[in-house]
Amino acid sequence: MQSVSDLREAARRRLPPFLFEYIDGGAFDEQTMRRNQEDLGAICLRQKVLRDVSQISTETELFGQKLTSPVLLAPVGLAGMNSRRGEVAAARAAHRYGVPFCLSTVSVCPIEEVAAAVAAPIWFQLYMIRDRAFMRDLLQNALDAGCKTLVFTVDMPVPGTRYRDYRSGLAGASGITGFARRCLQAAFRPHWAWNVGIMGRPHTLGNIAPSLRKRPPLEDFFAWMSANFDPTVTWKDLEEIRALWPGSLVIKGILDSEDAIAAASMGADGLVVSNHGGRQLDGAVSTIRVLPAIADAVGDRVAVLADGGVRSGLDVARMLSLGARGVMLGRAWAYALGAKGEKGVFGMLDQIEKELRVTMALTGTQRVEDFGPGVLDVGSGFASIKASRNASEHTGAHAQSSGARK
């Protein structure tokens, strides 16, 4: 297996369908999910020759942490079901490779277990939860576990509608019927059923276990999301998070320049340009289309990260060239974990870096900091993004002038 596509196919063969479809699927008709990859793939780079590229370095730094490569493992819910104690395995792979791992609120493995498995601090992802006291307890648990970076997800006031989860039996089929459907699927994946389903103990969602009822874990998961995600949250609520969290605060789920400026103004240290991998608002713009405008809007005030559709080191280079300082990998590491466990995640990171190095050599780029507009071919895909960006800026200027006339 060489590419993320290879790992995806291996994960499809090894995981029960309800788990694979959860990783692989998006919202509604999955237009935004596809657009992430298509728009990213349309970006062309300038090939440059006869440059000394013998001393290429992929090293960079984020929030005082040195990285061997400008990527990090994004928070993925239920990842611990893809392999035995999956979040622990992925965190170990990331630590060995020298990049950050971010643990989801709705992980199988609790933060204490994952943090204890690695020497470097992990990142922790949090949603705004209705029960503010419980949310503050989660923040304290993260601090006690040594976390220094909090990723706060803001694009999920309500869960998106994901048809694949209903078709596979992951969502919608409750009680004995749903449990039986999932067990039948697991029976056709005997290696997963024994190694993960039984020996891996994925029977509780570690971080939110105190607030769950005694139901099958996947039913608890969806019931908890419906009951605890807070659609009333506003920017004012985030001020409480900033006051409670002494470390680096990263706001994840930004697609609008005004929201990016608001995140910077409330004291965020970073933001993630993200549409949740196309799993929330189907029809939303791809992340690569809005990344340049958002990077320009905030300048050096915050560190701009990005995700969405990244499947190779070439895609990482495209993101960096359009304004990202770091790139989050989501499905890529979930596929790798489902395919080959910790070894798969480590191998995926190694392959991404090798592909990035090749891309750097062929574009005459020596360091991560050298990526920028000069690496881009202003024709092809970049032209359409630039046109879209100019149109957006024109619309904003027109709205401001109209407001002034009023």
Side-chain angles (χ1 to χ4, degrees):
M1 290 181 284
Q2 292 296 315
S3 68
V4 170
S5 295
D6 294 337
L7 293 167
R8 176 186 178 276
E9 177 59 22
R12 186 189 67 79
R13 294 196 306 266
R14 297 185 181 207
L15 296 175
F18 68 86
L19 276 183
F20 176 77
E21 299 296 347
Y22 174 74
I23 299 169
D24 197 57
F28 288 95
D29 294 323
E30 303 181 343
Q31 294 178 351
T32 295
M33 184 179 76
R34 290 192 296 272
R35 195 174 294 135
N36 277 342
Q37 286 189 264
E38 291 168 358
D39 288 353
L40 188 56
I43 304 300
C44 291
L45 306 178
R46 294 175 64 191
Q47 179 170 308
K48 298 180 181 179
V49 299
L50 298 179
R51 285 160 171 81
D52 183 356
V53 289
S54 60
Q55 301 298 320
I56 286 175
S57 173
T58 60
E59 294 182 354
T60 189
E61 184 175 311
L62 281 175
F63 312 121
Q65 183 175 353
K66 292 185 177 180
L67 283 59
T68 59
S69 185
V71 300
L72 54 150
L73 302 192
V76 175
L78 303 183
M81 299 188 75
N82 295 342
S83 181
R84 185 189 295 194
R85 310 311 287 169
E87 290 97 1
V88 170
R92 284 175 174 161
H95 175 62
R96 285 199 294 128
Y97 209 82
V99 298
F101 171 82
C102 185
L103 183 69
S104 170
T105 293
V106 288
S107 60
V108 170
C109 303
I111 189 169
E112 298 83 359
E113 179 185 358
V114 180
V118 294
I122 64 171
W123 295 16
F124 184 62
Q125 175 270 334
L126 186 69
Y127 301 104
M128 184 63 79
I129 300 170
R130 287 179 187 268
D131 186 343
R132 296 293 198 267
F134 179 65
M135 184 184 71
R136 287 192 290 270
D137 288 343
L138 283 177
L139 283 174
Q140 190 58 52
N141 289 345
L143 286 171
D144 292 344
C147 293
K148 300 184 184 302
T149 302
L150 179 71
V151 175
F152 199 86
T153 299
V154 295
D155 62 352
M156 207 166 177
V158 295
T161 300
R162 302 167 192 167
Y163 293 150
R164 286 210 221 180
D165 290 347
Y166 288 92
R167 293 168 183 150
S168 70
L170 179 65
S174 60
I176 189 64
T177 302
F179 184 70
R181 283 187 66 182
R182 294 188 290 271
C183 285
L184 182 61
Q185 292 179 33
F188 284 90
R189 300 289 190 272
H191 180 269
W192 179 92
W194 173 254
N195 189 50
V196 183
I198 296 175
M199 301 303 294
R201 299 175 286 113
H203 310 305
T204 60
L205 299 176
N207 297 313
I208 63 173
S211 66
L212 299 179
R213 299 178 182 178
K214 300 300 181 182
R215 289 179 289 199
L218 292 177
E219 292 178 28
D220 261 344
F221 169 67
F222 287 104
W224 184 88
M225 286 201 304
S226 298
N228 285 280
F229 282 11
D230 191 350
T232 70
V233 64
T234 66
W235 286 105
K236 186 172 180 60
D237 295 293
L238 261 65
E239 295 175 4
E240 176 188 1
I241 301 299
R242 177 69 282 181
L244 289 170
W245 185 258
S248 299
L249 176 62
V250 180
I251 307 300
K252 182 177 183 291
I254 300 294
L255 285 179
D256 184 272
S257 294
E258 290 183 6
D259 288 341
I261 293 170
S265 299
M266 58 80 62
D269 301 288
L271 60 86
V272 185
V273 181
S274 173
N275 53 33
H276 218 98
R279 294 167 67 80
Q280 282 296 98
L281 176 61
D282 197 27
V285 67
S286 66
T287 55
I288 195 67
R289 281 194 173 272
V290 294
L291 174 59
I294 289 175
D296 283 351
V298 298
D300 295 329
R301 296 170 64 187
V302 297
V304 176
L305 312 179
D307 68 13
V310 178
R311 298 292 185 271
S312 67
L314 175 59
D315 289 339
V316 171
R318 288 165 167 149
M319 286 281 195
L320 296 174
S321 299
L322 283 165
R325 284 184 53 188
V327 178
M328 279 190 161
L329 306 175
R331 287 186 178 91
W333 79 261
Y335 293 144
L337 185 67
K340 300 184 72 175
E342 179 179 340
K343 181 180 178 182
V345 177
F346 187 90
M348 180 275 299
L349 288 169
D350 186 54
Q351 183 66 21
I352 291 283
E353 183 181 332
K354 287 176 180 176
E355 293 165 351
L356 178 59
R357 284 179 174 274
V358 169
T359 304
M360 293 173 74
L362 297 179
T363 57
T365 308
Q366 293 263 26
R367 302 176 306 155
V368 170
E369 293 76 16
D370 296 335
F371 279 106
V375 181
L376 297 163
D377 183 343
V378 294
S380 65
F382 181 64
S384 62
I385 286 184
K386 189 174 181 181
S388 174
R389 175 178 162 192
N390 289 340
S392 176
E393 291 172 350
H394 175 74
T395 302
H398 177 73
Q400 290 177 5
S401 63
S402 298
R405 287 195 298 271
K406 290 179 182 178

